[in-house]
Amino acid sequence: MFKFLKEVVAGSGSGLKDFPYTIGEPYASAWGSWTHHRGTSKDDGSPVSIFSLSGSNPQDRHLVAGRNGVKRLRTVRHPNILSFLHSTEAEVPDGPAMKHTIYIVTEPVMPLSEKVKELNLGGTQRDEYFAWGLHQISKAVSFLNNDCKLVHGNVCLASVVVTQTLDWKLHAFDVLSEFDANNEASGSPMLQFEWLVGTQYKPMELTKSDWASIRKSPPWAIDSWGLGCLIYELFSGAKLARTEDLRNTASIPKSLLPDYQRLLNSTPSRRLNPSKLIDNSEFFQNKLVETIQFMEVLNLKDSVEKDSFFRKLPNIAEQLPREIVLKKLLPVLASSLEFGSAAAPALTVLLKMGSWLSVDQFSIKVLPTIVKLFASNDRAIRACLLQHIDQFGESLSAQTVDEQVFPNVATGFSDTTVSIRELTLKSMLVLAPKLSQRTISGSLLKYLSKLQVDEDPGIRTNTTILLGNIASHMNDGTRKRVLINAFTVRALRDTFPPARAAGIMALSVTSSYYEMTEIATRILPNIVVLTFDPDSDVRTKAFKATDQFLQIAKQHHEKLTTGDTMVAESTGVQLNTGNSGLLGWAMSSITQKGKASDHGSISTANASNSQVSATSAATPGYAPSTSSSLDKAAPASARSSVDGWGELEDDNIHEENGSDKEGWDDVDPFDDKASPSLLSNIQAAQKRPVVQPKQAVASAKSHQLKAPKSEDDPLWGPIAAAPPKSASKSADIKPSTSHNDEDDLWGSIAAPAPKTSGKPLKAPAANSDDLWGAIAAPPPSTKARPLASSGRGRGTKPAQPKLGAQRIGRTSSTGM
C-alpha cells in the first residue's frame, strides 16, 4: 500500500536529482507542518511555489496525511483551488540522518496573511478586496461541498493563498475526505486526519467527535464554520486563538454580520450554505466585485453593455486600489482585447492602466497585447492604437517595429478613410526612427510619395512635415534622391498655402543636407518665386528661407575666397543659431489642432483628424484664388505621376496603378514635361499673335500684366522677353479702336518696339502700310487649337493688320 501511494505521489520524478525546479527561500508562514518555498522552473525560469513536508520515516503520520493532500490536489480542479503542477517524494540528507520529504509544485502564490500586510489596504478599499477574496473562497468551498460531496475540514486564514493576479485560492487538502452520510453505523471517523485541525477551528460536534451528528448534518456544516473563522481572522487582523473569540464581532462589517452569525450557528443543520453566502449577502455587492465579474463574462455581453462599461471603467479604476487594478484588472482586460471580446474603448483604459506601471512591467504586461492588436481587422481598434501611439511607441523595440508593427500599420496608408490615412501618417513620426534603411527606402517612401499627392490637403501638408522630420534617419543617397524633389517640385507648387509653407520650412530644416550647387540652382530659384505668394504666411517664410540660404551661399563664397577648397565638397551648412527654432516646427505642427486659413501658420494645416481638413476646404486658404497664377496650379498637376519621387528599391510593394513614375527622382527640375501653370501661361501667351498696343511704340511706358479677372498684379512682368535687335526705325502706330486690351495677356508683356534709326521695313504686298507686322513674332510651332476669333487669336488665314484708326473687319474673308 505504501509503495502504491509513493508511486502516486512521486509523479514523473524519481528523486530530487531529477527535480525540474529550483527551491528558493521559504515564506514565514504556511499551513500545518508544510513549508512554503519560492521556486523557479529549470526549463524556462518561470516562478512557481514549492511546498515541502518532511518526516523521520515513510510511515510518519504527517507524511501519510500529506500524501492524501497530494492525491486530492491532483484530482480536484477548480478556478479557485490551487493549481497543481508536479510532485515527488525523496530522501534528503539532514546531517548524518536522512529525511523523507514530499514536494508539491504549484502555480506561484504567497500566504494570504503576508499578502494582506503587503497591500496594507484600509477603509472601503480593504473591504472591497476582502469581499472579492471571500467571494472566491466561498465558491471553492461550495464546489467541494455541494458538487463534489467533499469536506475540506480546515478552512482558515492559513489554508488560503494569493496568486500573482491577487486571486484567492484554497489549498491544504490533507484533511479533505468524502462526506459519508449514508454510513451512519460506521464507527470509523469520516475525517481520518482531523487531528491536524487546531482546536480553535473545530465546531462543537467535531470537538466532541460526534460522528453520528456530523453525518446527519449537511455537507457544508463543518466548512461553513471554517468560513466564519476565516472572516474573523481577516477583519480582526489576528490569528484565532480560541473558539470564544469568534463572539467578538466589533471588527466585522455590519453588512456581513448577519451572514457571519449564520455561518457560526451552534446547530449544524442551520448553518448557512456557502453558495447562499455568495448570492444573498450585500457585502459582496461593490464596485470591485461587480467590475471583475463583468469582465470575466465579457464575451457574453452585447456591444451596448460593453461600450457603456468601458466608458465608465476609467473613473472606476481611479477609485479602486492601484495594486488590484494593475495585477487583477489589467491582465483580464489585456486578455479580453487580445481575444476580441473587448471593444475599442477598452484599449484606452488599457493604456491608462499601463501608464501606472514601470517601464519594465509595461513591456511585459501591455506591449505584447498591443503588438498583436496591430493585426486586428477592427478599424476602431486600429484608429485608437494610432491615436495613442505616442504613449507606447518609445517602448517598442526596433526589431518589433520593423518586423511586426510596420507591416500592419502600412495598410492604413491606402485606407479609404481620410482619418485613418492621416493617423497612419502621423504615427510614422514615432515609428520611422525605429525602421531599417531597407524599410524606409523600399516601403515607407513609396507610401509617402502617394500621400504627398493625396486629395486631402492636410495629408499633403503633413507628409511634407514628416519628411522634414525623418530626413535625419535616411541615408545620403536617399536624401539626395528624395528631399529636393519632394519639397520643391511638389510641396512648393501645391495649391494649398500651408502645404507650400511646409515645403519652405522643410527645406530650411534640412538645409545641412544640400550641396551648394543644389542650393543655388534648385532651391533658391523655387523659394524666391514664393516671396510674392498671395498668402502672407508663405511670403514671410519664403523671405526667411531666402535669407538663410543666401547666408549659406555667402559663407560658401567666403570660404572659397580664403582658399578653403574643402567647402566645395561639403554637403551643406548647418542652420544658424537664429534659425534653431525651425527645428521644432514639425513636431508641434503635426500634433497641433487648428483651422487652416489663408494667413495661418503652417501648424494650422495639420489638423489631427479629417474634420479639420474638411473645415479647411471651406476657408479662403484652401480654395485656389482666381486672381493668382500660383493658385491656378491645379491639384491634378501636383498629383501627376510624372512629378513622382523616383523608383525606390522595393519589389515587394505592389503599386495600385503599376506606374513606374510614382517616385521623386524621375523629376527633372530643368526639363519638366508637365510645366507648372505659371510657366504655361507665359508659353501660351508667347504663342499668340502680336497685338497692337494702345500707345505709340516710341513712348517709354510699359504695360502692367492684368489677371483674367481685372486684378492688377504684375507678377511676371520682370521676366518679359527682351526686345528684339533690329536696325529699322519705329513708326507711330495707332491702336486699333476695336481691340480689347484687357483680354490680351500677351500685349502687357510684349517686347517694346526696337530703337533704330533705319527706315521702316516694308510690309508684305498684301498690307504694304503695316510696319508692326514686319517685326511681329513668327507663328509658333504648336499643336494647340487656334483660339476663337475674339480679338485674341488668329483665324485659318490671318490677314495683316492695317495702320490707322479705321475698323478692321475680322469676319470678312480678306481680313479687311
Side-chain angles (χ1 to χ4, degrees):
M1 180 66 182
F2 168 72
K3 183 178 179 181
F4 170 75
L5 290 176
K6 185 174 181 180
E7 291 176 354
V8 171
V9 171
S12 60
S14 59
L16 203 57
K17 61 180 181 179
D18 300 324
F19 196 54
Y21 299 93
T22 301
I23 302 175
E25 293 296 323
Y27 288 99
S29 62
W31 181 86
S33 301
W34 289 89
T35 303
H36 185 180
H37 300 267
R38 300 171 179 87
T40 56
S41 172
K42 293 181 180 179
D43 294 335
D44 55 7
S46 59
V48 295
S49 280
I50 301 174
F51 297 86
S52 63
L53 178 65
S54 299
S56 57
N57 59 78
Q59 286 77 27
D60 189 290
R61 61 177 186 168
H62 286 91
L63 292 180
V64 175
R67 295 185 188 104
N68 176 68
V70 173
K71 181 183 70 172
R72 298 294 187 178
L73 193 61
R74 294 183 64 175
T75 55
V76 178
R77 299 284 177 166
H78 188 269
N80 303 123
I81 291 178
L82 185 61
S83 298
F84 174 88
L85 297 178
H86 182 82
S87 67
T88 189
E89 184 174 348
E91 291 184 354
V92 179
D94 183 18
M98 299 293 290
K99 281 191 175 182
H100 294 266
T101 305
I102 298 175
Y103 294 96
I104 305 176
V105 183
T106 68
E107 60 181 316
V109 291
M110 69 181 300
L112 175 59
S113 57
E114 297 188 25
K115 193 63 179 181
V116 169
K117 294 178 181 178
E118 180 184 299
L119 293 176
N120 194 25
L121 300 176
T124 305
Q125 291 187 345
R126 186 202 67 166
D127 290 348
E128 288 183 345
Y129 181 59
F130 284 176
W132 171 245
L134 287 172
H135 184 276
Q136 293 180 301
I137 297 302
S138 298
K139 289 173 64 176
V141 173
S142 176
F143 169 75
L144 292 176
N145 299 155
N146 297 298
D147 299 334
C148 302
K149 303 302 179 183
L150 297 173
V151 179
H152 183 277
N154 193 21
V155 178
C156 60
L157 187 68
S159 62
V160 179
V161 289
V162 183
T163 66
Q164 293 180 328
T165 57
L166 299 184
D167 291 314
W168 293 16
K169 296 205 172 184
L170 185 65
H171 81 122
F173 285 178
D174 293 13
V175 190
L176 187 72
S177 62
E178 290 81 4
F179 179 73
D180 189 10
N182 298 324
N183 192 6
E184 297 182 3
S186 176
S188 62
M190 184 175 63
L191 301 176
Q192 298 181 23
F193 308 105
E194 54 86 18
W195 50 267
L196 290 171
V197 182
T199 306
Q200 69 272 28
Y201 297 112
K202 290 182 178 181
M204 186 61 65
E205 65 274 14
L206 188 58
T207 303
K208 296 179 179 180
S209 298
D210 187 1
W211 298 110
S213 177
I214 291 174
R215 288 187 172 91
K216 293 178 181 179
S217 304
W220 60 81
I222 295 177
D223 290 339
S224 292
W225 183 276
L227 279 175
C229 298
L230 172 62
I231 292 173
Y232 174 84
E233 290 183 319
L234 273 177
F235 290 99
S236 66
K239 185 177 180 180
L240 181 63
R242 54 181 186 168
T243 307
E244 290 75 11
D245 292 341
L246 295 172
R247 297 178 181 178
N248 185 4
T249 60
S251 59
I252 308 299
K254 292 183 179 180
S255 59
L256 185 59
L257 184 57
D259 295 314
Y260 169 77
Q261 293 173 338
R262 293 181 63 188
L263 288 171
L264 297 173
N265 196 296
S266 58
T267 304
S269 60
R270 300 181 63 181
R271 289 176 190 154
L272 182 65
N273 191 330
S275 63
K276 300 296 183 182
L277 175 67
I278 301 171
D279 298 335
N280 298 339
S281 179
E282 297 180 1
F283 180 71
F284 296 100
Q285 299 175 7
N286 58 62
K287 293 180 181 178
L288 178 62
V289 175
E290 293 173 355
T291 300
I292 297 176
Q293 286 181 327
F294 187 96
M295 296 181 68
E296 288 181 343
V297 293
L298 194 61
N299 56 340
L300 303 178
K301 304 295 182 179
D302 57 34
S303 58
V304 177
E305 290 177 304
K306 291 180 183 179
D307 187 71
S308 175
F309 172 77
F310 286 117
R311 294 187 186 280
K312 296 177 182 178
L313 187 56
N315 294 330
I316 296 175
E318 292 283 355
Q319 304 171 19
L320 299 177
R322 186 62 53 87
E323 191 86 5
I324 298 175
V325 171
L326 296 180
K327 292 188 175 182
K328 176 60 182 178
L329 295 183
L330 183 63
V332 175
L333 186 60
S335 177
S336 300
L337 278 167
E338 186 175 339
F339 292 102
S341 59
L347 180 59
T348 305
V349 185
L350 178 71
L351 293 175
K352 182 176 181 177
M353 293 179 179
S355 65
W356 300 337
L357 292 169
S358 63
V359 176
D360 295 338
Q361 289 296 313
F362 183 85
S363 300
I364 296 173
K365 295 183 177 181
V366 179
L367 275 187
T369 299
I370 290 177
V371 172
K372 292 178 182 179
L373 289 179
F374 273 107
S376 174
N377 294 326
D378 190 340
R379 182 171 290 176
I381 289 181
R382 288 166 49 203
C384 190
L385 283 170
L386 297 175
Q387 285 174 345
H388 299 89
I389 198 168
D390 57 321
Q391 298 182 21
F392 59 85
E394 294 299 329
S395 301
L396 295 170
S397 65
Q399 182 178 3
T400 301
V401 171
D402 198 57
E403 297 178 359
Q404 301 181 48
V405 176
F406 179 78
N408 293 315
V409 172
T411 59
F413 286 120
S414 56
D415 198 280
T416 56
T417 305
V418 174
S419 60
I420 296 294
R421 296 202 305 274
E422 185 175 23
L423 289 171
T424 305
L425 173 66
K426 292 180 180 180
S427 69
M428 290 300 108
L429 195 63
V430 178
L431 299 181
K434 298 178 180 291
L435 296 177
S436 64
Q437 285 297 319
R438 178 178 181 181
T439 304
I440 291 177
S441 302
S443 301
L444 177 60
L445 291 181
K446 283 195 173 185
Y447 290 120
L448 297 184
S449 174
K450 291 183 178 181
L451 291 184
Q452 208 179 17
V453 292
D454 194 90
E455 61 184 7
D456 184 80
I459 291 180
R460 300 200 302 269
T461 303
N462 285 340
T463 304
T464 302
I465 292 172
L466 177 64
L467 284 169
N469 272 276
I470 67 175
S472 60
H473 304 290
M474 304 178 189
N475 56 41
D476 292 338
T478 303
R479 283 195 291 259
K480 290 181 180 180
R481 186 176 71 249
V482 169
L483 294 184
I484 294 183
N485 285 332
F487 297 150
T488 60
V489 177
R490 285 188 174 175
L492 297 188
R493 300 180 187 180
D494 201 290
T495 58
F496 191 47
R500 299 197 295 273
I504 297 173
M505 295 297 290
L507 287 169
S508 298
V509 172
T510 58
S511 61
S512 60
Y513 301 128
Y514 309 127
E515 298 178 356
M516 191 59 230
T517 303
E518 295 173 326
I519 293 175
T521 60
R522 302 183 64 184
I523 296 177
L524 271 173
N526 284 282
I527 294 179
V528 170
V529 172
L530 298 181
T531 56
F532 52 89
D533 190 274
D535 185 83
S536 61
D537 186 59
V538 176
R539 294 196 301 271
T540 301
K541 288 180 170 57
F543 278 113
K544 290 181 179 179
T546 301
D547 293 341
Q548 176 185 340
F549 283 106
L550 286 176
Q551 182 66 23
I552 294 175
K554 183 177 179 180
Q555 294 176 15
H556 182 273
H557 161 69
E558 292 174 352
K559 291 183 179 180
L560 286 179
T561 303
T562 57
D564 187 2
T565 57
M566 292 299 294
V567 72
E569 299 177 1
S570 65
T571 58
V573 180
Q574 295 290 339
L575 286 174
N576 296 332
T577 306
N579 291 328
S580 60
L582 298 177
L583 296 175
W585 136 81
M587 172 64 77
S588 61
S589 179
I590 202 169
T591 58
Q592 182 179 358
K593 293 184 179 181
K595 181 179 180 181
S597 63
D598 227 1
H599 304 285
S601 64
I602 179 60
S603 63
T604 60
N606 306 318
S608 63
N609 51 49
S610 60
Q611 295 179 351
V612 179
S613 300
T615 305
S616 303
T619 64
Y622 180 85
S625 172
T626 56
S627 62
S628 170
S629 57
L630 271 177
D631 288 339
K632 287 183 178 180
S637 176
R639 293 189 290 270
S640 172
S641 61
V642 180
D643 286 340
W645 289 352
E647 186 63 25
L648 303 175
E649 316 86 18
D650 187 11
D651 297 334
N652 297 328
I653 303 297
H654 300 284
E655 305 295 344
E656 295 180 0
N657 53 10
S659 174
D660 292 335
K661 299 180 180 181
E662 286 288 345
W664 282 307
D665 56 358
D666 60 343
V667 178
D668 188 354
F670 302 104
D671 186 17
D672 197 357
K673 296 181 181 180
S675 301
S677 301
L678 300 175
L679 299 179
S680 63
N681 288 341
I682 297 176
Q683 293 171 358
Q686 289 175 342
K687 298 175 183 179
R688 296 173 182 160
V690 177
V691 184
Q692 301 164 352
K694 290 184 177 180
Q695 299 179 357
V697 177
S699 63
K701 291 184 178 181
S702 62
H703 297 282
Q704 294 181 347
L705 174 64
K706 295 186 177 182
K709 293 193 177 180
S710 69
E711 182 177 333
D712 297 332
D713 190 5
L715 299 180
W716 297 108
I719 64 170
K725 297 179 180 181
S726 174
S728 58
K729 186 177 181 180
S730 62
D732 293 332
I733 303 175
K734 296 181 180 181
S736 173
T737 57
S738 63
H739 174 63
N740 185 4
D741 187 60
E742 291 186 357
D743 294 335
D744 185 14
L745 296 177
W746 172 250
S748 60
I749 61 172
K755 297 179 181 180
T756 179
S757 58
K759 294 182 180 181
L761 298 176
K762 291 184 180 181
N767 295 292
S768 59
D769 54 349
D770 187 4
L771 299 178
W772 179 251
I775 61 172
S781 56
T782 178
K783 297 180 182 180
R785 305 171 71 182
L787 300 176
S789 57
S790 60
R792 298 178 58 185
R794 296 184 294 274
T796 305
K797 296 180 179 181
Q800 299 294 338
K802 290 185 177 183
L803 298 177
Q806 67 273 19
R807 184 182 300 276
I808 299 177
R810 297 183 184 272
T811 58
S812 63
S813 60
T814 60
M816 299 299 295

